[in-house]
């Protein structure tokens, strides 16, 4: 199955300086130390379903320099808390021996939890080894990637772009257990990141911050193993 997904943009912030030049984001500005955490608002806006939830597209505007984004009254449907923990001793970290940090994402309204395991490599960036998610793969939640990928480089500047690819195996529960067993899925995420804008964002409780806007385009491919080897399931 091949699906092209346009992901929500990410605003990367630095200390509140509010200048006339595009900021540069370094590893020191990222969350990569045990004990750190942050909260973020989010929602599940779907323009096709017209769910009535909040669309940030009305705020983000077009790519370009020297912009202003007012998120003082942005979406508050979900509150995400992301904690950065030592993976040593965590049961969820068993398949990620090289990871030095665990990111635990919790949707506070539902207590839904997902994990991401990574290593902050000097001069390279955030090297991701895999995920642990009972939401994504309830019967086999640990999904190590065949090769780690860097989602955020060590330094990020305006007009930068980079590619990242991950492949991991999950177990899909059978919809008809009487005649079909659970089967494996090989999931591949191909991401293209582009730093397409910079400016100042107004955030609730934080005020004005210098930010870079990172746009991620994801292509998601899935192969299924029904007992006869991997088969591509293609849906346009």
């Amino acid at each position: 199955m091949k699906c092209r997904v346009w992901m929500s943009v990410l605003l990367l912030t630095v200390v509140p300086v509010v200048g006339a030049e595009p900021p540069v984001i370094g590893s020191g500005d990222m969350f990569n130390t045990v004990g750190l955490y942050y909260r973020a608002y989010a929602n599940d806006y779907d323009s096709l379903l017209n769910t009535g939830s909040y669309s940030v597209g009305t705020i983000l505007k077009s790519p370009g320099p020297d912009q202003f984004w007012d998120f003082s009254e942005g979406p508050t449907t979900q509150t995400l808390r992301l904690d950065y923990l030592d993976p040593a001793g965590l049961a969820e970290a068993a398949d990620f021996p090289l990871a030095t940090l665990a990111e635990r994402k919790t949707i506070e309204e539902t207590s839904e939890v997902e994990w991401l395991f990574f290593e902050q490599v000097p001069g390279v960036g955030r090297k991701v080894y895999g995920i642990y998610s009972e939401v994504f793969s309830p019967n086999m939640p640990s999904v190590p990637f065949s090769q780690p990928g860097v989602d955020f480089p060590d330094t990020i500047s305006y007009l930068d772009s980079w590619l990242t690819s991950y492949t991991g195996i999950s177990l899909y529960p059978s919809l008809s257990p009487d005649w079909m067993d659970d089967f494996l899925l090989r999931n591949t995420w191909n991401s293209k990141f582009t730093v397409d804008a910079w400016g100042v964002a107004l955030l609730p409780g934080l005020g004005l911050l210098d930010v870079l806007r990172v746009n991620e385009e994801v292509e998601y491919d899935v192969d299924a193993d029904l007992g006869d080897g991997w088969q591509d399931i293609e849906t346009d």
Side-chain angles (χ1 to χ4, degrees), residues 90-134:
L90 291 175
E92 295 87 352
D95 292 330
F96 311 99
L98 297 180
T100 58
L101 287 158
E103 178 187 271
R104 181 180 65 198
K105 183 180 75 174
T106 304
I107 300 177
E108 295 191 337
E109 288 76 10
T110 63
S111 299
E112 184 177 290
V113 174
E114 294 181 278
W115 297 81
L116 180 143
F117 294 92
F118 69 98
E119 175 188 13
Q120 188 71 37
V121 181
V124 175
R126 195 170 85 155
K127 182 184 290 188
V128 180
Y129 290 99
I131 62 173
Y132 185 101
S133 172
E134 295 179 356

Side-chain angles (χ1 to χ4, degrees), residues 28 70 106 219:
D70 184 357
T106 304
E219 184 180 83

Side-chain angles (χ1 to χ4, degrees), residues 119-198:
E119 175 188 13
Q120 188 71 37
V121 181
V124 175
R126 195 170 85 155
K127 182 184 290 188
V128 180
Y129 290 99
I131 62 173
Y132 185 101
S133 172
E134 295 179 356
V135 178
F136 175 71
S137 180
N139 292 350
M140 196 171 73
S142 185
V143 184
F145 297 147
S146 58
Q147 294 291 332
V150 175
D151 57 355
F152 296 123
D154 192 62
T155 302
I156 302 174
S157 303
Y158 177 51
L159 298 181
D160 281 354
S161 63
W162 63 95
L163 303 174
T164 301
S165 182
Y166 308 107
T167 298
I169 307 297
S170 62
L171 187 65
Y172 191 82
S174 173
L175 299 178
S176 300
D178 291 339
W179 63 273
M180 175 183 277
D181 294 329
D182 297 349
F183 56 91
L184 294 175
L185 294 178
R186 183 170 60 192
N187 312 274
T188 300
W189 299 264
N190 295 303
S191 293
K192 179 181 180 181
F193 296 86
T194 304
V195 187
D196 66 356
W198 67 271

Side-chain angles (χ1 to χ4, degrees), residues 65-79:
D66 200 16
Q67 301 202 34
F68 174 70
W69 299 288
D70 184 357
F71 283 97
S72 59
E73 297 182 358
T76 57
T77 307
Q78 295 179 340
T79 303

